[in-house]
């Protein structure tokens, strides 16, 4: 029986990124004949502080267990962005370096996306479920998030703040009910938050938030310690809207590439009274010029953690 050789993902990736890098990127003269584009092995080895022989072994797949220090040095020498760096670590069968603080920065591309979704209720959440931006239709459907009363504008905190008195205190500006049930929604959000906490172990503000929730909320503590860790995938919700009455919407999660942001969008099933009610909210929303609304500058400043 013929055994298929294990593919050398690390070596192929490393060589591909070495060959795409211009010598001028590291201050070398453009002159001189090169048989292949990009950096020579000796140039990359010098930049990374490793031997040429070891680099050859890595590219050929004869050395398969580089240390985290070596992979970090190669990623720095190749000027990889965070997603490429993490891919190189995974190719080496190593866990990527932990991220820093949870980012609340909204890139221009995400702002454009939410602007294009102007006719759809859309809210932007950081990876820790802090709401950091929304469009006019979000406000029309669920009220202005600045009036929600969530501690730290955290959806997770808001869910548990209203837990004991849900019949009286709405989670948003007015009551919003999950078709799967509030208990299931809480479990899903806590499982998602655990993924974020594991990816950002150095974020002191996130750690402080979790510690506070563990002290104050027994239900949160029970869910936190049950070990479930999975991204939140969306829900179907009914909003008790003061203007159009009950309206049922499907809530989907978009995660823009290169970010940890979650964009929640709300859509009604076509040709239903819910769709008609959503159309009525759009008509009252004066959508031309629909811009992204953010909380105060302290919350939405770039690179600020939770």
């Amino acid at each position: 029986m013929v055994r298929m050789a294990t593919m050398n993902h690390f070596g192929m990736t490393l060589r591909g990124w070495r060959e795409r890098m211009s010598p001028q990127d590291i201050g070398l003269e453009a002159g001189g004949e090169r048989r292949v584009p990009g950096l020579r092995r000796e140039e990359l080895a010098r930049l990374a502080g490793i031997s040429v022989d070891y680099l050859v072994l890595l590219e050929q797949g004869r050395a398969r267990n580089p240390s985290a220090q070596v992979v970090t040095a190669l990623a720095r020498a190749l000027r990889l962005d965070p997603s490429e760096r993490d891919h190189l670590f995974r190719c080496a069968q190593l866990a990527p370096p932990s991220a820093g603080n949870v980012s609340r920065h909204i890139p221009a591309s995400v702002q454009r996306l939410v602007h294009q979704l102007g006719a759809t209720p859309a809210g932007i959440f950081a990876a820790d479920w802090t709401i950091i931006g929304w469009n006019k239709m979000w406000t029309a459907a669920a009220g202005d998030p600045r009036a929600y009363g969530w501690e730290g504008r955290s959806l997770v905190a808001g869910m548990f703040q209203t837990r004991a008195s849900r019949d009286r205190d709405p989670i948003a500006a007015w009551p919003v009910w999950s078709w799967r049930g509030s208990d299931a929604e809480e479990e899903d959000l806590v499982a998602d938050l655990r993924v974020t906490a594991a990816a950002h172990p150095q974020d002191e503000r996130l750690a402080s938030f979790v510690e506070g929730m563990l002290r104050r909320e027994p239900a949160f503590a029970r869910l936190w310690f049950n070990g479930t860790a999975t991204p939140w995938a969306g829900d179907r919700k009914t909003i008790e809207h003061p203007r159009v009455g009950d309206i049922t919407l499907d809530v989907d999660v978009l995660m823009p590439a290169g970010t940890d942001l979650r964009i929640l969008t709300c859509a009604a099933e076509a040709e239903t009274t819910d769709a008609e009610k959503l159309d009525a909210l759009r008509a009252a929303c004066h959508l031309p010029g629909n811009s992204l609304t953010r909380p105060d500058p302290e919350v939405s400043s770039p690179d600020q953690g939770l």
Side-chain angles (χ1 to χ4, degrees):
M1 181 176 65
V2 177
R3 178 176 296 175
M4 184 177 294
T6 302
M7 186 171 292
N8 175 26
H9 290 289
F10 184 87
M12 290 188 301
T13 301
L14 185 60
R15 178 171 180 172
W17 282 338
R18 173 173 64 81
E19 292 181 352
R20 79 175 183 184
M21 192 171 183
S22 168
Q24 290 93 325
D25 291 339
I26 61 171
L28 296 177
E29 295 293 334
E33 293 185 3
R34 291 176 180 264
R35 291 183 298 173
V36 294
L39 297 182
R40 297 188 176 101
R41 287 192 176 113
E42 58 267 25
E43 293 166 345
L44 177 57
R46 183 171 66 252
L47 286 171
I50 62 176
S51 71
V52 177
D53 290 341
Y54 185 48
L55 181 58
V56 171
L57 294 176
L58 288 173
E59 288 193 355
Q60 293 178 348
R62 291 187 287 155
R64 291 185 174 270
N65 297 293
S67 68
Q69 290 82 359
V70 167
V71 179
T72 297
L74 288 167
R76 185 181 300 115
L78 290 167
R79 302 185 180 183
L80 303 183
D81 64 31
S83 61
E84 291 176 331
R85 177 205 61 198
D86 292 352
H87 178 68
L88 192 63
F89 268 81
R90 294 187 184 100
C91 287
Q93 300 183 30
L94 295 169
S98 61
N101 291 348
V102 172
S103 175
R104 299 186 183 185
H105 175 56
I106 305 176
S109 59
V110 175
Q111 295 181 43
R112 288 193 297 270
L113 174 60
V114 173
H115 180 76
Q116 292 165 1
L117 291 171
T120 299
I124 307 174
F125 291 76
D128 53 29
W129 290 103
T130 302
I131 190 164
I132 57 175
W134 57 91
N135 63 9
K136 288 182 179 179
M137 274 300 293
W138 180 277
T139 299
D144 190 329
R146 290 170 292 194
Y148 288 177
W150 298 348
E151 177 188 345
R153 298 205 171 94
S154 166
L155 173 58
V156 176
M159 284 292 298
F160 287 91
Q161 280 174 225
T162 60
R163 191 175 205 279
S165 56
R166 279 190 184 135
D167 291 340
R168 300 186 303 275
D169 297 334
I171 181 64
W174 31 82
V176 180
W177 308 105
S178 167
W179 278 41
R180 297 182 59 239
S182 297
D183 290 344
E185 186 174 27
E186 288 175 357
E187 184 173 2
D188 290 347
L189 283 172
V190 172
D192 188 289
L193 185 65
R194 187 182 293 105
V195 174
T196 296
H200 300 268
Q202 307 304 319
D203 191 325
E204 295 181 1
R205 198 167 178 183
L206 175 54
S208 177
F209 172 79
V210 171
E211 290 170 2
M213 291 292 291
L214 291 172
R215 287 194 306 269
R216 297 190 303 271
E217 302 292 346
F220 177 90
R222 175 179 58 79
L223 293 172
W224 186 260
F225 292 118
N226 74 4
T228 304
T230 186
W232 190 74
D235 199 355
R236 171 169 281 197
K237 296 180 181 293
T238 295
I239 301 172
E240 295 183 15
H241 201 282
R243 175 178 295 180
V244 298
D246 288 2
I247 176 172
T248 295
L249 301 173
D250 290 315
V251 181
D252 295 303
V253 184
L254 308 179
M255 296 187 65
T259 78
D260 285 333
L261 301 178
R262 286 95 162 108
I263 302 177
L264 299 193
T265 63
C266 306
E269 187 176 347
E271 299 181 356
T272 62
T273 56
D274 297 307
E276 293 173 358
K277 291 176 180 179
L278 198 57
D279 285 340
L281 292 176
R282 290 190 187 102
C285 204
H286 306 295
L287 290 179
N290 183 33
S291 60
L292 183 69
T293 303
R294 306 194 200 190
D296 56 72
E298 188 275 331
V299 171
S300 59
S301 60
D303 303 322
Q304 181 164 351
L306 173 64

